[in-house]
Every structure is written in structure tokens, then in C-alpha cells.
Amino acid sequence: AQRVTQPEKLLSVFKGAPVELKCNYSYSGSPELFWYVQYSRQRLQLLLRHISRESIKGFTADLNKGETSFHLKKPFAQEEDSAMYYCALSENTGFQKLVFGTGTRLLVSP
Amino acid sequence: EAGVTQSPTHLIKTRGQQVTLRCSPISGHTSVYWYQQALGLGLQFLLWYDEGEERNRGNFPPRFSGRQFPNYSSELNVNALELEDSALYLCASSLQNYGYTFGSGTRLTVV
């Protein structure tokens, strides 16, 4: 069965510091990986997906199949990055459903 | 373009009662997904509907059910409510492989 693990419930950094939100997955096939973000009082929204290989709001994430990881990184954190971040996995066979991790709360202090 | 809309936003029910939650997807989206977000448990997959059919179901008891209408809107029904059903219920819609768009959710409190 698919599983997504986000080992940190809370990550607290200072503004300008690098950020890495960890995500590991277990799935025997070729998954599609996503990062979703939920800012305070806003709905959950897609941040980025691995097949796009893009940078959104300065965040990047690389799929490492050898380590089964999809860590989210940003070189210089901003206060407005404070939010709840969820890693999610979809079987790459027709987009049946997303399996989410339990989320990491990122707190960026001034 | 209107996003995914859910109603009601908040609901308080008594244990044993039944509840119906509603979701309207983004226009043109044919798939609707329901998730339960209970405190400390993250998002747990409930149901997936596409083209009016139930395509997949999460590990929830049969008292959780739903349906999708011809206009692709969807209802989630929960019978015989239990205290642990208290959670935020999220609906999302998608079109093929373009990722989910979530609604704001319905906060259900069972007392």
C-alpha cells in the first residue's frame, strides 16, 4: 500500500534561513508526487508537482527514487512561507486518488 | 471561475443522527474526492466519484456513503454519527491529471 511519511510535525526557522521539509514515500510503482500548502484561514492548494519540475514561490522539490524521497526546499525562508505543508502521492496509473502525509507546520520567525 | 464550493460550512449534530454534506466541483471537472481531516490525523481518503460512479473507497465503514449527480456535484452522507466523526470534511475536484482543487471544507462537530 502507498504511504507518505512526513517526519516533522513542526519546523521552525528564522527568516532568511534555508528550509527543507522532508517527505518519504513507499510505493512499488512509479508515483506522482505533490506538495500542497495551507496558509492560515485559506484552503488547501497545490504548491508544486514533481513532473512539472518547476519552482513555485522559490520552492523546489526533486523526486529521488533511490531514496524514495520528495523533500521540499527553499534557500531563503520568508515569513509569508509560514503554513502547513502536505506531501501527497498518486499512483501514476490514471490519477485515482491522492495519499497525503500528516503534514509539517513551517513557522518562519523574523 | 468559481472554485469548489462546499455546504454547509459548519454543522453540529448529535451522536446517532445522520448528516449530508454537499460539494460543487469546478465547472468541467468530472471527478470529486472526499477527505476527512481529523485533528492530528492528516487527510484521510474517503471516496472518489467520477462520471457518476464510485471509483474508489477509503478504509471507512459503510455508514459513510455518497453519490455524484449528473451535473458532477456530490453528496457525502454519514449515518449513525459517532463522536469520532467530528472533523473537517474536504471535497476536491479534478480534471484528469491536473491535480486537485480543494473546497474550504465542512466542519462537523458531533456531540
Side-chain angles (χ1 to χ4, degrees):
Chain A
Q2 315 99 309
R3 179 174 290 181
V4 177
T5 302
Q6 294 180 250
E8 303 141 326
K9 287 189 176 181
L10 173 66
L11 183 62
S12 185
V13 301
F14 288 105
K15 177 182 173 181
V19 169
E20 182 178 67
L21 299 167
K22 290 183 168 47
C23 172
N24 288 91
Y25 67 90
S26 62
Y27 178 58
S28 57
S30 294
E32 185 167 353
L33 276 297
F34 303 80
W35 277 99
Y36 279 79
V37 61
Q38 189 168 29
Y39 301 102
S40 179
R41 300 188 188 87
Q42 295 186 28
R43 61 184 65 187
L44 198 59
Q45 57 187 284
L46 178 66
L47 180 61
L48 55 79
R49 52 194 301 191
H50 89 270
I51 63 170
S52 301
R53 304 184 70 80
E54 57 192 347
S55 174
I56 304 294
K57 298 184 180 182
F59 285 98
T60 60
D62 291 319
L63 178 60
N64 185 324
K65 293 186 177 180
E67 296 182 358
T68 60
S69 69
F70 187 57
H71 302 327
L72 183 67
K73 300 177 182 179
K74 184 169 183 176
F76 307 103
Q78 303 299 314
E79 289 180 68
E80 55 266 30
D81 296 328
S82 295
M84 196 74 180
Y85 291 81
Y86 293 92
C87 182
L89 173 154
S90 170
E91 296 176 359
N92 195 20
T93 54
F95 201 75
Q96 297 180 15
K97 68 179 184 185
L98 285 178
V99 175
F100 285 84
T102 50
T104 298
R105 180 167 299 283
L106 174 64
L107 181 60
V108 182
S109 303
Chain B
E1 174 186 87
V4 176
T5 57
Q6 292 187 244
S7 63
T9 54
H10 296 84
L11 206 51
I12 298 175
K13 289 286 189 178
T14 303
R15 191 171 51 182
Q17 284 188 311
Q18 178 266 344
V19 69
T20 297
L21 311 181
R22 294 177 175 82
C23 173
S24 293
I26 288 175
S27 177
H29 285 193
T30 60
S31 280
V32 170
Y33 305 80
W34 287 95
Y35 282 81
Q36 183 195 65
Q37 189 176 25
L39 198 61
L41 293 180
L43 283 86
Q44 304 294 314
F45 170 73
L46 267 165
L47 289 160
W48 169 36
Y49 290 96
D50 181 63
E51 298 285 359
E53 300 283 333
E54 182 180 301
R55 301 297 184 183
N56 206 335
R57 182 182 180 84
N59 189 25
F60 281 83
R63 58 191 185 83
F64 286 83
S65 65
R67 55 180 173 168
Q68 187 178 34
F69 298 97
N71 66 354
Y72 303 116
S73 67
S74 177
E75 285 182 351
L76 173 68
N77 298 292
V78 187
N79 294 321
L81 283 167
E82 300 178 2
L83 296 178
E84 52 264 34
D85 296 334
S86 295
L88 180 68
Y89 288 84
L90 291 171
C91 171
S93 72
S94 75
L95 178 62
Q96 298 178 346
N97 290 354
Y98 297 109
Y100 285 10
T101 300
F102 279 92
S104 297
T106 294
R107 173 77 59 189
L108 173 64
T109 302
V110 182
V111 297

